[in-house]
Amino acid sequence: MAFSEGFLRNFLQRAVTGIIFVVVVACAFILGPYTYAIIMTSIITIASIEYNRLLRAGGYSPHMFMALGINVVAFTLGFLVNVNGLDYRMLFIVVGLVWAMFLVELFSANKDPLANIALTMLCCAYVGMPFALFNLLAFKGDAYDYHPIIGLFALVWVNDTGAYLTGVTLGRHKLYERISPKKTIEGFVGGILLTMLVGWISYHFFDDFFFHAGRTFALLSAGIVAVVGTAGDLIESMFKRSVSIKDSGRILPGHGGVLDRFDAVIFVAPIISLLYYFFT
């Protein structure tokens, strides 16, 4: 199959950006809990700002600073509970911030308070909660372990790469054309197969490097990433289509914004984190 010059240029740009991004994120996780917290807080901040940009393009007026504050505080408190032994009851501060958001709307005299509150809370559920739950994956018995986090990100990136390469080379049948015209059934299947293969390899050849939780968990995680991650990608595409925006941002050349890069992670992280916390 012959590839156009434009395709090759875009693929090279995606590859270079992706490699740099992966190296930066992985190094932050490996260096320790505080660099993990810094990179995660940065991702949460940029993702929250991009979410606000999407909604404002659609004519909505969410409370960006309130949503950003709730998201960052929720992650930070969860992190401090694990790394510094902060009393878990301090997490109720998040409840106070949510109530404060209602009061801000009460006295702001906006035209559509119900929509503003609902969309602000959606930012907390869509961005804040998944990244806050990452702390369940990063800490087990109060000890920081970067392996599960890197494992989750690796599986998501493998699925994305497998689906992309299989789709552009073998893709013929549209997966869900109404939402994402470029996604194909062949790409979806290719992503699943490659992700499951990497999950199997991680257990058999690298001493369960990713999760230290056994073969079943490694393969189950790979399957969840491949299926739920694709759903997360489609859901973000649905959001962007509804406000007529192609990319959530421009911070990552060839990939778009942080939300574009983490759309799968946002839906996969809560499931994997909770499974890891309760069943390992």
Side-chain angles (χ1 to χ4, degrees), residues 10 48-49 53-54 85 89-90 98 106 109 159 162 166 177 183 189 201 204 207 218 221 223 238 240 254 262 265 270:
N10 180 63
S48 299
I49 292 171
R53 174 177 174 267
L54 288 177
R89 287 173 293 187
M90 294 296 289
V98 170
L106 176 64
N159 181 60
T166 307
E177 190 171 8
K183 287 193 180 302
V189 173
I201 289 173
H204 284 280
D207 193 26
S221 298
M238 176 183 68
K240 291 187 294 185
F262 286 90
V265 173

Side-chain angles (χ1 to χ4, degrees), residues 62-104:
H63 295 283
M64 185 191 79
F65 293 108
M66 292 298 299
L68 176 58
I70 292 170
N71 293 345
V72 170
V73 169
F75 171 80
T76 303
L77 289 176
F79 171 77
L80 293 176
V81 165
N82 287 282
V83 79
N84 284 340
L86 183 73
D87 190 330
Y88 73 91
R89 287 173 293 187
M90 294 296 289
L91 290 169
F92 284 107
I93 290 175
V94 176
V95 178
L97 291 176
V98 170
W99 279 108
M101 183 268 298
F102 279 86
L103 292 175
V104 168

